[in-house]
Amino acid sequence: MTGPASAGEKAQPTGPDDEFEPSPFRSRRFVIFALGNTVNNIGEAVYATALPLLMYELTGSLAVMTVLAGAVPVALLLAPSLGVAADRWGPRVLVVPGLLLQAAAALAMNLLLREGVHDTALLFVCALLLATGGTAYRTGWMTGIPGMFPACKVRARGTLNSLFFASTLIGPLIVTATLPWLDYSGLLWFNLLTFFAPIVVWALGIHPPASRSAAGPGTGSTSWKLTEGWRAIRDDRRILAMLAAQISLGIACGAGLNTLIIYELGHTWRLSAREAATALTVMNVCMLAGNLLVAQRKRFRPRLSLVLGMTVRAVSLLLFAVPSWPLFLVALALGAVGQGAVLSTAVMMRVKFLPATVLGRASGLLWLLTGGAALLSPVVTPLLSGVLGARPAFLVLAAVAGAGLWYVHATRGAWTTVVPPVEPAEKEVTDEPAA
């Protein structure tokens, strides 16, 4: 039997890029897993909304809010190391420990706040542990997707990403609807409860299978070096194209762009705070729609999705620079659709093209690189708008997104397959656990 190619070998296309996969919703196991995962994500969205508002109410300090928000990107630095653990011992070693760490940190934070302790250092430690547990949990289940749902691993990953986007919309709505009864502290206790939903799913037997590589490198020639993950990224130009698209979008269309859009809605177009919030909600819904357009297709065409998504996103940035309110609205909606499509394509490509033996390490490095690019957005965009003005800044950001699009186009030869496209019969998604 031929074994998997090592991460150091140059990746070669082995089949049609638009290979058919059945819907993961045909699997009862997937539905239960997705439900537990979504409950957890909704809790984290509630936490991400309620905690900064509570800190502002208690301290009135923007600095405290910023420090606590910094726990998430700091925890992201651990992603490559956690990816090594997932590849070496199997993704299941990260899932429950990550959830329990989140629960313990959330409990400690809630008890400190109940006792009136507002020490920034203590709260940051709790927030950092909570974010670290979340990173471990996500690394575990994301790496375990191919083993849990092998018949529809790419669409399963894309669908879970769509559900995550939906949770980011649902979380703030829950805060708005329940705040009069629960207050911010009650919402943080709600977040604590949601960590146990995936644990219940695990107890039902729905979790990543035991890793055959768990015996460690001493039993063979398998290497567990982080550099193997980087080689898998470097040697597949399709993955490099995806990375270029994500980095360019992270810089051009991250938190800095959202801030600039909010500024333009109020300063240039004179919208009230409620009207601006409505416009941002529409933008988020459109991003979810773009995500679903890719994730729910029966055939995954990654290059087409990247090219179309990046093109729409770059054109939308150009339209933002035009002094026309109708075009600004069009750019707001279409740009979000394009960005959602690219983000969905990126996470699905990781599962489709990266070797399973290095998926954890490669994914950890990709999260680190794209997360670092996203951190540049709140620095670059205000600097551009301060020096050039808002509309010229949009043009520069369009050029940054266009650079990513150019690289995707430059790698078009890497997407040629060596096996002619076929029309396989639709595979049945069983409810039997993977061996």
Side-chain angles (χ1 to χ4, degrees):
M1 185 175 70
T2 302
S6 68
E9 298 177 4
K10 283 186 178 280
Q12 297 294 333
T14 57
D17 288 341
D18 60 347
E19 182 181 359
F20 174 86
E21 281 193 358
S23 171
F25 287 113
R26 294 178 56 195
S27 167
R28 181 178 59 87
R29 295 178 67 247
F30 175 81
V31 172
I32 296 173
F33 178 84
L35 179 61
N37 185 263
T38 302
V39 170
N40 177 268
N41 287 336
I42 289 174
E44 294 206 26
V46 168
Y47 165 82
T49 304
L51 182 62
L53 293 175
L54 175 61
M55 289 297 99
Y56 180 78
E57 183 180 272
L58 294 175
T59 67
S61 171
L62 178 61
V64 173
M65 298 167 65
T66 304
V67 167
L68 294 181
V72 174
V74 170
L76 194 64
L77 296 174
L78 297 173
S81 298
L82 293 170
V84 171
D87 286 339
R88 181 168 186 176
W89 293 293
R92 61 193 300 166
V93 303
L94 297 177
V95 176
V96 173
L99 289 166
L100 293 178
L101 179 59
Q102 280 188 299
L107 177 61
M109 176 183 286
N110 291 353
L111 292 175
L112 287 172
L113 292 172
R114 192 181 69 174
E115 296 300 318
V117 178
H118 303 152
D119 183 84
T120 303
L122 283 176
L123 293 176
F124 176 78
V125 169
C126 292
L128 181 58
L129 290 175
L130 205 157
T132 300
T135 302
Y137 164 63
R138 284 188 291 274
T139 301
W141 74 254
M142 290 178 184
T143 309
I145 286 295
M148 285 191 287
F149 312 108
C152 54
K153 61 182 182 180
V154 177
R155 289 186 68 184
R157 183 63 187 90
T159 299
L160 290 168
N161 194 55
S162 299
L163 292 172
F164 169 76
F165 270 101
S167 72
T168 64
L169 298 175
I170 295 171
L173 294 177
I174 290 177
V175 173
T176 302
T178 62
L179 189 58
W181 296 278
L182 293 179
D183 68 43
Y184 294 122
S185 298
L187 289 168
L188 294 182
W189 285 104
F190 167 78
N191 174 50
L192 171 60
L193 293 176
T194 63
F195 296 137
F196 294 97
I199 295 179
V200 171
V201 172
W202 181 287
L204 294 174
I206 302 172
H207 48 67
S211 172
R212 292 191 178 96
S213 304
T219 61
S221 60
T222 303
S223 170
W224 303 110
K225 294 180 180 178
L226 191 59
T227 52
E228 294 298 316
W230 172 245
R231 289 194 189 103
I233 297 170
R234 182 197 64 192
D235 292 341
D236 192 329
R237 294 189 71 198
R238 299 167 300 184
I239 297 295
L240 287 178
M242 174 268 289
L243 179 59
Q246 279 198 284
I247 287 177
S248 64
L249 283 188
I251 297 172
C253 306
L257 176 64
N258 290 340
T259 302
L260 185 55
I261 288 174
I262 292 171
Y263 174 81
E264 284 291 280
L265 289 173
H267 179 76
T268 302
W269 305 113
R270 305 297 181 184
L271 267 65
S272 67
R274 175 173 293 183
E275 290 169 335
T278 301
L280 292 176
T281 300
V282 170
M283 183 178 72
N284 290 333
V285 171
C286 289
M287 189 171 293
L288 173 61
N291 199 286
L292 290 169
L293 284 174
V294 174
Q296 298 309 309
R297 286 182 59 87
K298 290 184 178 181
R299 298 186 185 278
F300 179 47
R301 294 178 169 88
R303 183 174 182 274
L304 178 63
S305 299
L306 280 183
V307 170
L308 290 179
M310 291 295 293
T311 300
V312 170
R313 180 76 270 192
V315 170
S316 73
L317 291 168
L318 293 175
L319 293 179
F320 279 134
V322 179
S324 167
W325 171 240
L327 288 181
F328 194 94
L329 282 179
V330 169
L332 198 72
L334 288 184
V337 171
Q339 187 165 347
V342 172
L343 295 177
S344 182
T345 302
V347 298
M348 294 169 72
M349 282 182 62
R350 294 178 190 179
V351 175
K352 182 174 179 64
F353 295 129
L354 288 172
T357 53
V358 295
L359 182 57
R361 285 165 285 177
S363 295
L365 289 170
L366 289 170
W367 289 329
L368 187 62
L369 292 170
T370 56
L375 289 177
L376 292 175
S377 177
V379 177
V380 171
T381 302
L383 181 63
L384 287 174
S385 60
V387 174
L388 304 176
R391 286 172 182 161
F394 283 126
L395 296 178
V396 176
L397 295 177
V400 174
L405 175 61
W406 170 84
Y407 189 82
V408 173
H409 178 70
T411 61
R412 59 192 179 277
W415 302 83
T416 304
T417 58
V418 297
V419 177
V422 294
E423 295 287 338
E426 183 168 336
K427 293 179 285 186
E428 181 180 359
V429 184
T430 68
D431 283 332
E432 294 300 320

